[in-house]
Amino acid sequence: MTTILAVESSCDETAAAVVDAPSSIRSSVVSSQVDLHVEYGGVVPELAGRAHLERLVPVVRLALDQADLALGPAAPVDVVAATRGPGLIGSLLVGASGAKALSLAWGVPFVGVNHLEGHLFAALLDHPDVSWPLVVVLVSGGHTLIVSMEAPGRYRRLGSTVDDAAGEAFDKVARYLGLGYPGGPAIERAAVTGDPTTLAFTRPMLDDGLDLSFSGLKTAVVHAVRARPDVANEDVAASFQQTVVDVLVTKAMRAVAQVGAAGVCLAGGVAANGPLRTALQAAAASAGLPAYLPSRAMCTDNAAMIAAAGAWQLQHLGPSGLDVAVDPALPLEFVA
Ligand code: KG4
Ligand code: ZN
């Protein structure tokens, strides 16, 4: 059995996890920096990098402690992994450099992992025995991709956003409504008591292939609120959320039909959204297919998903050299 320590620091969460490969999570520690960035309404890269520096060692120590391992001169794990991109350069550097230092000191291999591939592996942690291909809808703060996962490591690009990411739309609409940061959970909370039929937003690009668009919807929310200032925030939030859910579920099921998928998956922070989870599960059930939803903690940024992707990568592609660079724009590699 291979035991892997992984570090994730691509954005505003300092995270470390210990996983027995392929999918047994022994610990997963996430230190969120929301408190630091909340007054700015978004992530401030300089503050994020500095906070990672302060938190990395305590977070790694805690992850090892919780797995009954110790941070010391002797190697407590067989391999160390870290996110090497995409993300904020200063943040990535802190986690990847720390992980490389541990790998060097302990004499164990280092694996640099693509953050997006980590998100794709998150569902496999909870559901190790899936059938392929899977359609994965990866919806995070920075990315919105519909992917056919033909097997681990084999991804076919089916669609992506032509403008804003889905999470970015949640964050911007929440900020406009004064609901706070991060926007996704704030919108979801407000929408609980709202009526999703109050405002009829056009479902962007609904009839149009598998690409998505969210920037027009954000503008439509602004126009609707200006035209109808009497409408409660809760109703705006619910109407907006329902629109995003309808679009994502329609596109996901269209992708499933197109590739003849054996199942459908959600990944990324927006996949923590309750109404999205319920709607996708219902659509998959009516199509007679399984929906694999990562637990909410595995949807948002965490290091267990990086460990899962890292363990697979080590086994099939080998370790990365310690000279592998972090890359803020690291793309997910697709098969032709
Ligand atoms: O995957 P993630 O933690 O970080 C990135 O890699 O971007 O995703 C963060 C995004 C944010 O835009 C946040 O507002 C959104 O995920 N999010 C949600 C929910 N929880 C987080 N969006 C909708 N509903 C939620 N419950
Ligand atoms: Zn992420």
Side-chain angles (χ1 to χ4, degrees):
M1 184 182 49
T2 304
T3 301
I4 182 160
L5 167 70
V7 170
E8 152 64 35
S9 70
S10 63
C11 189
D12 62 341
E13 258 102 27
T14 317
V18 176
V19 170
D20 288 334
S23 56
S24 170
I25 303 175
R26 290 173 59 173
S27 65
S28 178
V29 176
V30 179
S31 170
S32 165
Q33 301 177 8
V34 165
D35 50 330
L36 271 184
H37 303 287
V38 70
E39 68 178 291
Y40 306 99
V43 178
V44 184
E46 295 270 311
L47 294 181
R50 225 171 297 163
H52 285 305
L53 203 53
E54 285 164 10
R55 296 174 188 201
L56 182 64
V57 173
V59 164
V60 166
R61 192 187 299 278
L62 189 58
L64 288 170
D65 276 357
Q66 290 182 357
D68 293 322
L69 300 169
L71 183 61
V77 294
D78 305 306
V79 51
V80 181
T83 304
R84 75 172 192 94
L88 302 169
I89 178 90
S91 295
L92 288 166
L93 272 170
V94 174
S97 308
K100 285 179 186 177
L102 290 174
S103 125
L104 187 64
W106 289 337
V108 299
F110 169 77
V111 188
V113 175
N114 184 310
H115 180 81
L116 301 175
E117 193 161 18
H119 276 303
L120 296 181
F121 269 78
L124 306 183
L125 279 164
D126 291 324
H127 311 280
D129 300 316
V130 298
S131 307
W132 311 101
L134 281 181
V135 161
V136 190
V137 179
L138 198 178
V139 271
S140 71
H143 297 86
T144 299
L145 276 173
I146 302 180
V147 170
S148 170
M149 191 170 181
E150 298 181 344
R154 257 187 89 79
Y155 315 114
R156 198 172 293 279
R157 185 192 162 287
L158 300 175
S160 61
T161 181
V162 298
D163 42 54
D164 292 353
E168 193 179 349
F170 272 94
D171 293 335
K172 286 178 174 170
V173 168
R175 191 192 309 197
Y176 177 69
L177 297 177
L179 292 175
Y181 161 87
I187 296 260
E188 184 174 353
R189 270 193 309 275
V192 169
T193 52
D195 175 359
T197 62
T198 313
L199 297 169
F201 295 119
T202 308
R203 271 60 179 149
M205 299 175 75
L206 193 66
D207 303 321
D208 224 15
L210 294 174
D211 282 337
L212 305 118
S213 162
F214 293 105
S215 126
L217 175 59
K218 173 194 69 196
T219 312
V221 170
V222 174
H223 286 312
V225 170
R226 284 201 190 128
R228 304 247 334 252
D230 55 303
V231 174
N233 259 356
E234 289 74 12
D235 294 332
V236 182
S239 304
F240 161 77
Q241 178 176 258
Q242 189 59 50
T243 307
V244 176
V245 168
D246 284 353
V247 171
L248 290 176
V249 172
T250 304
K251 300 268 176 176
M253 297 316 291
R254 183 176 297 152
V256 164
Q258 187 173 309
V259 301
V264 61
C265 254
L266 284 174
V270 181
N273 185 270
L276 174 60
R277 298 168 74 87
T278 308
L280 188 71
Q281 226 147 12
S286 357
L289 283 176
Y292 301 107
L293 307 184
S295 63
R296 283 169 189 244
M298 288 299 120
C299 291
T300 46
D301 287 349
N302 67 85
M305 67 183 195
I306 302 301
W312 182 88
Q313 196 174 316
L314 180 71
Q315 194 185 350
H316 293 87
L317 305 172
S320 317
L322 283 180
D323 57 347
V324 68
V326 298
D327 180 353
L330 187 69
L332 187 64
E333 291 197 14
F334 295 110
V335 293

